[in-house]
Amino acid sequence: MKKLNQEIGKRIKILRLTKELNQEQIAAKLDITAGAFAKIERGETDASISRLYQIAAVLRVDIFALLIDNYKKKDVSTDESGVTDLLAQVKQLSKDMQKVKTEMAVSNLSARKKK
């Protein structure tokens, strides 16, 4: 388990340095001491899943970036177009489903009239 904690801590540190943040800045956003955050980075403490989610949110990455080596997902702060596209697809699907429901209702009504 210690090796896993160290691997996760290493990824956190790399991401933190990539974002040009120091331990104190991250710790302040997590409402913990810089020393407690340093222990997470060194793998000396077993961070809970909820804490890892918080760290991922502060670093603006998917939690899988902390858990999986070489995880290749876009930074969530720059993935707004993907979210917009997904919302457009959901809206279109909703419209299509409504159209199918209407067509089925008309078809059922026509079938009842024929009886």
Side-chain angles (χ1 to χ4, degrees):
M1 191 69 143
K2 185 175 182 177
K3 185 173 177 9
L4 177 62
N5 290 341
Q6 289 172 339
E7 290 173 9
I8 291 170
K10 180 181 173 184
R11 290 183 201 111
I12 291 170
K13 183 176 182 176
I14 290 168
L15 289 165
R16 175 180 60 79
L17 294 173
T18 300
K19 305 284 184 174
E20 299 180 355
L21 297 168
N22 61 44
Q23 290 179 335
E24 291 79 15
Q25 291 169 309
I26 302 288
K29 291 180 181 184
L30 298 173
D31 199 27
I32 61 175
T33 66
F37 182 73
K39 284 184 177 184
I40 293 171
E41 273 194 354
R42 290 192 303 267
E44 295 175 1
T45 187
D46 192 13
S48 67
I49 290 294
S50 61
R51 179 64 75 198
L52 292 176
Y53 269 112
Q54 291 171 338
I55 293 169
V58 170
L59 293 171
R60 301 184 68 81
V61 297
D62 192 301
I63 190 170
F64 293 110
L66 306 182
L67 302 174
I68 301 171
D69 198 23
N70 296 319
Y71 182 70
K72 303 283 188 213
K73 181 164 180 167
K74 292 180 181 178
D75 186 322
V76 293
S77 65
T78 61
D79 198 24
E80 292 176 17
S81 64
V83 172
T84 303
D85 291 343
L86 183 59
L87 286 174
Q89 290 175 12
V90 168
K91 286 178 183 177
Q92 185 60 48
L93 182 60
S94 179
K95 287 178 185 177
D96 292 346
M97 288 177 63
Q98 187 60 44
K99 185 177 178 182
V100 168
K101 286 180 183 178
T102 302
E103 289 171 359
M104 288 176 64
V106 169
S107 177
N108 287 339
L109 187 58
S110 295
R112 285 184 186 168
K113 285 183 179 179
K114 288 181 182 179
K115 289 182 182 182

